[in-house]
Amino acid sequence: MSPRTPGADLPEHPDRLWRDAEPKRSYDVVIVGGGGHGLATAHYLAKNHGITNVAVLEKGWLAGGNMARNTTIIRSNYLWDESSAIYEHALKLWEGLEEDLGYPILFSQRGVLNLAHTLQDVRDSVRRVEANKLNGVDAEWLEPDEVRKVCPVVNTSTDIRYPVLGATYQPRAGIAKHDYVAWGFARRADEAGVDLVQDCEVTGFTTDGNRVTGVRTTRGTIGAGTVALCAAGHTSVLTGMLGIRVPVQSHPLQALVSELLEPVHPTVVMSNAVHVYVSQAHKGELVMGAGVDSYNGYGQRGAFHVIERQMAAAVELFPVFARAHLLRTWGGIVDVSPDASPIVGRTPYDNVYLNCGWGTGGFKATPGIGSALAYTIAHDEPHPYVAPFTLDRFVTGALVDEHGAAAVAH
Amino acid sequence: MQLIACPWCGPREEVEFHYGGQAHVPYPDSPAELSDEEWAHYVFFRDNPKGRFAERWNHSAGCRRWFNAIRDTATYRFERVYRLDDPKPGVTELARSREEGTAP
C-alpha cells in the first residue's frame, strides 16, 4: 500500500449541508452576519430555547469572513473573572460540540503555551496562571526546560534576542477545523428550520420609535421581531445605519500557512512579545497569525511588511521553520475595542442586540457567545456571562482590560 | 510597499510612518462641565467608517512630524495629505483634486 497523502484521512462531506434559503417576509429573530457567532446563536436559539423562526443574513457566502480566515486557536486562560467565565464556558461547550452538532470538527486539545520573554512577562504570566487556577481554568507555569519537553521545536537557548524565560500552559486549549465548525452549526440550524440567507447584504433598518421593525437588504425588506448584530469587522457600518456609536476600530489582521509538512509542532505556541502564534493544522500546514495592521481598514488584506516581521520572529523562535515555504497569506477585518474585550448586549433600541468587539479572538468564543447571546435574546435579559460586557461600561468605567491576555494583536 | 506622501518629505515607504487614528478630535472646550457620557465619547469613541476617513499620521522614521490625511479605509488609497493647521478638505474639493489628478 502506498503512503497516505497528508489529509487523506479527513472526513468526506455530503454535497449539501443546508438549504440556500430564500428570505421570508418576516422572522421572530433576524441575525445579521452568517459567520461563526451568527450561526452558533441560531443553533442555540433553536436547541436551547425552541426559537426557530429565525433568519441568518449573510452578505457574502456562509462563514466566508473571519470564520474562514482565523487561526483556530481555542483557549480560556484570560486574566479577569469576567473573561475567563465566558471563555471557559465556551471551552466546555467545545469539549462536547462534536457530539452536539453530530459533525466532526477536529477539535484537538493539544494545549497552548504562552511564552514569556522578559521579567515583566514572567510576572504577568505567573499572576495569570494563579488567577486562572482560582477561576477553575487549567493553567501551569512552565520553566524553559519544561517548555522544551512540551514543544521541542521552540528555541529555548539563552543566546537569542528575546530568550524564552518560561511559559504559561493550558493543556485543555487547542485548535479545531474552523470550516467544519461553521458547517456543523449551519447544518444543525438548518435542520431546526432556521433560514440561512446568503448573498443578502443589509443596507438599512426600518424603525418605529425605540424599536427596529425590519431590516432592509439587497434581497428586500425583512420584518424582524428582534435583531442581533454579529457582523464583527463590519459592525460600525451597521450601527452607523442605526445612529449608534460603538467604540470599535476595524483593522486588517493577517495570517498565513506554510506548505504541508510532516508533524513537527505538537501544540500551540503564542508569544505576545515577539508577535507570533503558531500551530500545525491536521493536514500539516503551519498556521501562523500576525499582529493587526496599524491603520483602520476594511480591505481584507494588509501590508507585507507585517508578514515579514512576523516571519522573522517565527524563525527566531522556531529555527526549524526557516526552510518552510510560505504557501498563502490572507487578511480578515477585526473589530478592536478599547479594553480588548467584547461588547455584547443591549443597544439604545429595545429589540436590537449587539455582539462585537471580539477583536482578534472571536473564534474561540464561538459556542460560548452563541449560547449566551441566544439566552439573552430569548429572555430579553443579558446572560450573566455577557452582562459585564455592556456598551455602557465605557461610560461607567467598568472596563475589562484584557490587553495582557487577549492576544498578540491588540 | 505602499508609498505615503509626507507633506514635508514627499513619498516614502509605509514602514516609516506611524498611525495616529481619527483626526480633528478637539479637546473639550469646558472639560469640567462634561458628563460621564461625554467624557466616554471623547476618550473611547472614534469614527470607524468604511470609506473616506480623516486621519493623523506621523512620519516617525523621517522628519518625525505629524500631518493629516484623507484615506479610503476600503481601498487604503490616500486621497489627500495636509498639514495639521489646514482645515479638513471638503467633499467637493477632494472630488476636484481627483479630477485634476493632483491627489497624492
Side-chain angles (χ1 to χ4, degrees):
Chain A
M1 200 176 136
S2 61
R4 291 173 67 81
T5 315
D9 50 352
L10 293 182
E12 295 293 325
H13 295 286
D15 288 342
R16 283 194 185 279
L17 294 165
W18 59 84
R19 295 166 295 128
D20 191 20
E22 286 293 319
K24 292 193 292 196
R25 289 176 64 93
S26 76
Y27 294 91
D28 292 342
V29 180
V30 170
I31 297 167
V32 183
H37 288 199
L39 293 169
T41 303
H43 166 67
Y44 290 108
L45 273 174
K47 184 190 172 216
N48 294 350
H49 307 286
I51 299 171
T52 56
N53 186 17
V54 176
V56 179
L57 309 184
E58 168 54 50
K59 77 184 166 88
W61 63 94
L62 219 61
N66 292 349
M67 192 63 177
R69 297 156 196 269
N70 69 84
T71 49
T72 80
I73 298 170
I74 296 162
R75 61 191 175 90
S76 63
N77 55 353
Y78 281 68
L79 176 64
W80 298 107
D81 297 353
E82 297 87 346
S83 323
S84 64
I86 181 133
Y87 289 111
E88 179 60 20
H89 169 58
L91 182 50
K92 290 204 170 83
L93 288 173
W94 279 111
E95 287 172 332
L97 195 59
E98 205 158 273
E99 217 164 297
D100 178 15
L101 298 178
Y103 196 78
I105 57 166
L106 306 190
F107 179 48
S108 160
Q109 291 181 291
R110 55 183 63 188
V112 63
L113 291 167
N114 292 79
L115 303 181
H117 300 272
T118 63
L119 183 57
Q120 191 59 49
D121 264 0
V122 172
R123 289 172 177 155
D124 292 344
S125 301
V126 171
R127 178 192 179 200
R128 187 159 48 74
V129 164
E130 299 302 335
N132 289 161
K133 285 179 179 167
L134 289 172
N135 279 320
V137 174
D138 58 321
E140 296 165 43
W141 169 253
L142 302 186
E143 296 294 335
D145 59 318
E146 298 167 304
V147 171
R148 195 161 45 236
K149 274 180 215 150
V150 173
C151 187
V153 289
V154 176
N155 184 358
T156 50
S157 65
T158 53
D159 62 348
I160 59 174
R161 176 65 183 86
Y162 296 103
V164 175
L165 302 182
T168 70
Y169 184 49
Q170 184 181 20
R172 285 165 62 240
I175 57 172
K177 186 96 173 95
H178 51 147
D179 288 335
Y180 294 6
V181 175
W183 300 340
F185 274 120
R187 191 178 73 138
R188 267 286 185 263
D190 176 77
E191 280 172 1
V194 172
D195 278 357
L196 309 175
V197 186
Q198 302 180 91
D199 203 13
C200 181
E201 182 168 359
V202 171
T203 55
F205 295 89
T206 58
T207 58
D208 181 11
N210 277 341
R211 296 185 69 80
V212 163
T213 52
V215 181
R216 289 205 189 96
T217 78
T218 49
R219 298 181 69 175
T221 299
I222 300 167
T226 301
V227 174
L229 304 179
C230 297
H234 273 80
T235 296
S236 298
V237 176
L238 292 172
T239 53
M241 296 169 190
L242 287 164
I244 302 169
R245 275 192 107 189
V246 179
V248 295
Q249 299 279 291
S250 297
H251 288 270
L253 175 63
Q254 300 183 83
L256 59 94
V257 289
S258 73
E259 66 206 311
L260 307 187
L261 302 166
E262 292 295 322
V264 289
H265 180 25
T267 181
V268 181
V269 172
M270 309 181 67
S271 167
N272 285 15
V274 303
H275 271 228
V276 75
Y277 39 106
V278 190
S279 67
Q280 187 169 17
H282 295 82
K283 268 191 300 183
E285 63 275 53
L286 297 166
V287 183
M288 299 188 210
V292 294
D293 281 53
S294 67
Y295 47 70
N296 288 27
Y298 284 86
Q300 290 190 321
R301 61 195 165 77
F304 194 73
H305 69 263
V306 176
I307 297 284
E308 190 180 16
R309 205 174 293 164
Q310 174 212 351
M311 296 298 278
V315 171
E316 176 90 341
L317 266 183
F318 301 91
V320 70
F321 293 173
R323 292 178 182 212
H325 292 112
L326 180 65
L327 186 70
R328 207 154 48 83
T329 77
W330 64 90
I333 315 167
V334 297
D335 45 337
V336 177
S337 71
D339 58 356
S341 285
I343 304 170
V344 184
R346 297 187 191 285
T347 67
Y349 286 92
D350 292 342
N351 60 337
V352 177
Y353 291 99
L354 190 60
N355 170 41
C356 68
W358 291 90
T360 61
F363 175 75
K364 71 174 74 66
T366 301
I369 184 58
S371 66
L373 187 59
Y375 177 100
T376 302
I377 293 166
H379 295 264
D380 193 21
E381 174 72 41
H383 188 282
Y385 288 141
V386 298
F389 298 107
T390 58
L391 183 55
D392 197 41
R393 75 178 184 270
F394 298 99
V395 175
T396 64
L399 304 183
V400 186
D401 181 2
E402 285 291 357
H403 284 97
V408 180
H410 285 287
Chain B
M1 183 176 296
Q2 163 140 275
L3 298 180
I4 299 174
C6 169
W8 289 279
C9 309
R12 296 293 178 89
E13 290 190 339
E14 181 185 348
V15 285
E16 293 186 13
F17 295 84
H18 182 85
Y19 185 59
Q22 185 179 358
H24 309 289
V25 181
Y27 190 76
D29 283 335
S30 313
E33 289 162 26
L34 253 51
S35 67
D36 287 354
E37 186 157 5
E38 287 166 330
W39 266 121
H41 277 265
Y42 173 67
V43 174
F44 293 121
F45 289 64
R46 293 291 179 270
D47 293 343
N48 185 29
K50 182 178 187 176
R52 205 171 269 167
F53 193 28
E55 305 171 324
R56 301 187 305 167
W57 285 82
N58 185 292
H59 191 190
S60 48
C63 65
R64 305 191 63 194
R65 284 196 275 190
W66 285 93
F67 62 93
N68 287 341
I70 303 286
R71 191 181 60 98
D72 190 315
T73 61
T75 63
Y76 306 166
R77 180 179 180 276
F78 281 78
E79 299 199 8
R80 171 68 68 88
V81 294
Y82 56 103
R83 292 163 52 134
L84 292 182
D85 51 357
D86 288 340
K88 185 176 169 181
V91 175
T92 43
E93 196 185 336
L94 287 169
R96 199 181 312 132
S97 62
R98 181 181 271 183
E99 278 168 22
E100 292 167 359
T102 53

